[in-house]
Structure formats: structure tokens, C-alpha cells
Amino acid sequence: MDLRAELLKSIWYAFTALDVEKSGKVSKSQLKVLSHNLYTVLCIPHDPVALEEHFRDDDDGPVSSQGYMPYLNKYILDKVEEGAFVKENFDELCWTLTAKKNYKPDRNGNSVVSHQDAFKLWCLFNFLSEDKYPLVMVPDEVEYLLKKICTAMNVELNSCELDDYLSQEPQGQGGLTVWQFLDMVNSGRFLRGIEQEAISMAVEEVYQEVIEDGYLWKKGQLRRNWSERWFMLKPSVLSYYMSEERKEKKGSIALDKHCCVEVLPDRDGKRCMFCVKTLSRTYEMSASDTRQRQEWTLAIQTAIRLQAEGKKSLHKDLKQKRREQREQREQRKAAKEEETQRLKQLQEEKERKLQELELLKEAQRQAEILLQEEEQRRRQQHEEMQRTLEIQLREAEQARASMQAEMVLKEAEAERQRKRILELEDMQERLQEALQQEVKARQDEEAVRYAQARLLAEEEEKLKKLMKLKEEQEEYIIKTQREKQVLKQEMENKNKCLEEAQKQLEEVRVNRQRVDQDVMAAQRKLRQASTNVKHWNVQMNRLMHPIGPGDKRTNVSGGVFAGYQPLLSQRDSSLK
């Protein structure tokens, strides 16, 4: 249980105490006063602006606990720092508000516990109560707390009487509220014959044990003198103050896994001594008696161990373990009840099965009689059926023989069809090869025609150049005789170029003749390929007529493979 949960329990009592009409809502003026007092005891700086803004007067009606929680969390609980305030003062504020309304001691002064002891029991109740609202303490925790108090007085608690009391209470099995618990203690039923002072000392002892604080003598580090200090033990630190009001903190001892506690012999006029050793310093202390020293050393050692294990405190750890044990007991109890229920169901199921078994036996006897009659009738039917089956078997044998003969004929026909299909597939492959050859021949012809066209273009270009040279020659002849001698050399050069061009023209013509010859050869190949295709078409047409059983061979001109004609026509059109 963290600090916020502890504070919320006490604040819940204060809030419900202000709810006079028990409607779950409190007036804003009362909440303002409560918030102001909480600021004071928790040592939080006052924020009147936020207080007035949250509880402004133009809001309608009183405020519920759900409406007060956002302000409480944001402006109060979120700002609380552990160790910055005195927890006892905070508890006293909440106790004062709730006790005025709910705590009703004996008016004749015959109460077993005093008002201050009732406050401490209220604090112990908050510590041991469940984390559910409204707050109750389960019977196991009630028994645990009463046993602690009785043990402190060396008295044994009568557990049977406590169980009887809890069973008589309307809500005793589910747990007691703090006011029911205080009424039970004040009734004196479990503390008969014990003086109030002894009860008060026992309550104080249990309170100090659970809260883990008290007076010890401590030896100073510099002056080496002994001073009485109020020590307060937390899971990770042992703090000491000038007095129990804890207004002036004198120092603290950080507890970790490296710390240890040792018992020291009596010296310097001090008895019941022990020390706390840390890595940097040794703190010497003295208790009032041996029992107090043992409690302090055990509590500090436990705090060191719990700090190493990452737990909060001994009593919180024990409370958690007791809660886990209760949950385990409840689970075992539920499992036992479930097992009992299951056994009961099994017993009922067993009885029902026995009844069904008797009915089945009777039905079995009736069935045996019917079975015998049915067996006799079935035997007769079986004999008749056997005779019928023999007749049908003979007919089936005859039908089987005829079907076997027919199957032989069908298999022979299928074998002929398979051979014909293989021949046609082979013929198709050859036809495909012939088509590929024809396509290749046409591609070669196209290539030769393209080369011929290119040579013709080159020849035409050469002729154009030759005509241009002739025109230039005529221009040179027309020129004057005076330039003839000068240009004679140029004419000779032009003549040489002309001769070379004529030679090139001759070469082009020779190449053209050679290309023409190649074209003629390609045409011959094309005609030869066409002849081959026609030949294969004739062969295929001969095989296209289907062969029927017992048919006479006739001239084949069509048949099941007439579908190849569109393919051949498409091939001829693509080649053209």
C-alpha cells in the first residue's frame, strides 16, 4: 500500500463524515475547509486561486466524491512528498472529523479504550483494512490485530468466542467497519478483567510496532555524547528527530544491502546497546530494555532485507502474505465446494444410470424375444434371397462373358485409333517443318529484294553524280581558250574521276546481276517448298478419312482432320 492509498483511506473517512445527509455529496463550503486543512497538515503550499476556481459558487449543488477526486489528486495528493509532513497530524485531523459523527463511546465512562487509544486503533484499522470502499477489515485481520494486542498484555485471545461474535453480526463474515470494531473492543467481551492502563500500553506497543517509530539513545559522532532521539523507520531510511513531534530532523541513516545491525556489550553507563553499520559510518544506539532492543534490531534487519528484495515494509509484506493466504484458502474452499457439487452430480448421475440400466435390461429381454422371431424370419428371407442371387449370378456370368467379348473388340478399335493418332501427329510435325522452311525461304527472298533495292538506289546515285560531272565538263569546254591550258590539268583529273565512277557503275551492275541471280535461286527454292507443301497436303488428305470397322477403303478426301484445312489456308495467306 503506497502513501497515496494510505492518505485516501483517511480522507475518505473525513469526506463521509461531512456527508450529513448520507447522499454521497458534500457542500462546497465544507470541502473548501477540508482542502484548506489538508494543505496545512500535509505541508503543501496553499493555492487559493485553484481552490476558488474548482469550488466556485456558480456551480450547482454539492459535490460528490467523484467530483472532488480530480481536485484532490491534482492539487493535493500529486504534491505530497513522503517525509515532508507528520503523518500522525494528518490522521488526527481526519479522525477528529469522523469521530465526532461516528465514534460513540460509553457516556458513563465505562469504555475499555480511551479516545487516544481509539484513534490509534483507527490508524491500525486503516493499515490492515482492504483496499476497497467502504473500508472493512476481514475477520482474519481482526483476529490478527486482537491477537497482537493480547500478546502484548500476555493474554490469550479466545478465538472461538470471536468466531461466535462475528457469526452473530449481520456483516461479520464479510468484515467489520472501524466503528463496529471499536464497539466490539469497547464492549469488553474479549478484554474482561484487564485494566484500561494495560490495554492502553498494549495498544501503544502494537501501534509503535506497526508504525515503526519510538525513542532511542544515540551517540554523537563529534562530541561523542549520548542524546535521546525520536527514531522513525522506513523501508530505505532510518530518520531521527529531536522529539516525537518530528518538527526538527537531526539526521537520517540510509539503509541498503551493505548495512548490518550488531548487538554491543554494555559500556559508558549505557545498556541494551546496538549499532547500525554502513559503508561510511557506524551509528551506536541504546534502547530502554532488552525487548525494545530486540524489536529494533529485528525491525532494522527486516527493513534492510526488504529493501534488498524491493519490498516496502515488514507489516505490509506480512499483510500481503496474509491476504494471499486468504485468497488461497478461498480458492481451496471454492474448489472443495465445486468438488462436492461435482460428486453430488456424479451420485445423481450414477442413480440415474442404474435406473436406465434396469430399463435397458428389461428392454434387452424383450429385444431377445423379438430377435429370435426376427432371426427365424430373416433365415427364411435369406434362403429365398440366396436362390434369387444364384439365378442373378448365372445371368451376370453370361452378361460378363458378352461384355468381355465386346471389350476385346473395343480395345482393338482403340489400338487402331491410337496408331492413327500417332501417324497424324508425325504428319503434323513434318508439316510444321515444311512451313518453317517455306517461311525461312520467304524471309531470304525479302532480304535479297531489300539488297537489290539498296543496290539500285546506289546505282541511281552514281548516275546522278555522272550526269553532274558531264555537265561540269561541258561547262569547262565552253570556257575560253585562254583558260583551256590552265584547266587542262583539271579536265584530266575530272576524266580520271569519271573513269573511276564508270568502273564503280560497272561494279554495281555486276552486283545487281549477282543479286538477280540470288533472287531467282530464292524463287526456285520457294517454288520447291510450295511443291513440298502441296505434296504433304495430298498425303494428309489421304489420311483424313476415318477408318471404320468393316468399312471398305475409299479415296480419302476429308475426315476427322478436316480442321487442318483452315490452318493450311492461313499459312498460305501469311506466306503470300
Side-chain angles (χ1 to χ4, degrees), residues 50-256:
L51 187 65
E52 294 296 331
E53 178 66 21
H54 190 80
F55 300 107
R56 59 181 181 270
D57 294 332
D58 57 348
D59 286 345
D60 297 330
V63 180
S64 65
S65 59
Q66 288 80 6
Y68 182 57
M69 281 303 296
Y71 173 81
L72 182 65
N73 286 321
K74 182 176 181 181
Y75 294 101
I76 297 179
L77 296 181
D78 288 347
K79 298 180 180 180
V80 173
E81 295 181 3
E82 188 170 2
F85 66 98
V86 180
K87 178 71 164 51
E88 189 172 353
N89 295 340
F90 168 79
D91 290 334
E92 284 181 355
L93 170 66
C94 298
W95 164 255
T96 302
L97 292 173
T98 188
K100 185 182 298 185
K101 176 184 176 182
N102 299 298
Y103 182 51
K104 299 175 181 179
D106 191 346
R107 295 184 179 181
N108 297 325
N110 297 325
S111 298
V112 175
V113 295
S114 63
H115 191 274
Q116 185 64 23
D117 294 336
F119 162 68
K120 293 176 182 178
L121 289 174
W122 178 76
C123 294
L124 293 171
F125 180 92
N126 289 343
F127 180 82
L128 297 175
S129 63
E130 298 297 303
D131 299 333
K132 298 176 182 178
Y133 295 90
L135 295 174
V136 296
M137 187 161 58
V138 296
D140 290 345
E141 295 297 324
V142 173
E143 183 179 1
Y144 170 77
L145 180 56
L146 290 177
K147 280 185 178 179
K148 294 286 289 184
I149 296 173
C150 292
T151 303
M153 297 184 296
N154 295 322
V155 177
E156 185 177 357
L157 176 68
N158 190 345
S159 300
C160 296
E161 189 174 1
L162 176 62
D163 293 337
D164 293 340
Y165 178 84
L166 294 175
S167 62
Q168 293 174 3
E169 288 291 326
Q171 299 176 349
Q173 298 298 323
L176 296 178
T177 65
V178 66
W179 314 118
Q180 292 173 338
F181 174 72
L182 291 176
D183 291 342
M184 180 185 69
V185 175
N186 279 325
S187 67
R189 185 171 181 177
F190 305 101
L191 302 174
R192 295 189 187 95
I194 302 175
E195 296 181 357
Q196 186 177 8
E197 184 178 355
I199 297 174
S200 179
M201 292 176 63
V203 171
E204 175 67 21
E205 183 177 342
V206 175
Y207 178 79
Q208 297 295 344
E209 179 185 349
V210 174
I211 304 302
E212 298 173 341
D213 56 4
Y215 278 108
L216 288 173
W217 287 88
K218 174 185 170 295
K219 188 174 184 179
Q221 182 181 10
L222 299 178
R223 299 173 62 184
R224 311 299 293 174
N225 60 330
W226 289 89
S227 303
E228 191 176 27
R229 298 285 183 256
W230 178 266
F231 281 80
M232 184 174 182
L233 180 61
K234 294 293 180 182
S236 60
V237 65
L238 178 63
S239 305
Y240 50 95
Y241 302 82
M242 280 293 294
S243 63
E244 57 185 301
E245 284 78 14
R246 291 180 287 182
K247 294 181 179 180
E248 184 181 352
K249 186 177 180 180
K250 302 299 292 182
S252 60
I253 304 172
L255 302 178
D256 55 28

Side-chain angles (χ1 to χ4, degrees), residues 440-469:
K440 186 176 180 182
R442 289 189 178 275
Q443 289 177 352
D444 293 342
E445 181 182 2
E446 291 293 332
V448 171
R449 288 179 179 177
Y450 175 75
Q452 184 180 9
R454 183 172 54 80
L455 291 174
L456 288 173
E458 291 179 356
E459 181 180 0
E460 185 178 357
E461 185 67 26
K462 294 295 183 181
L463 286 173
K464 289 180 180 179
K465 290 182 180 179
L466 181 60
M467 294 301 294
K468 186 176 180 181
L469 289 174

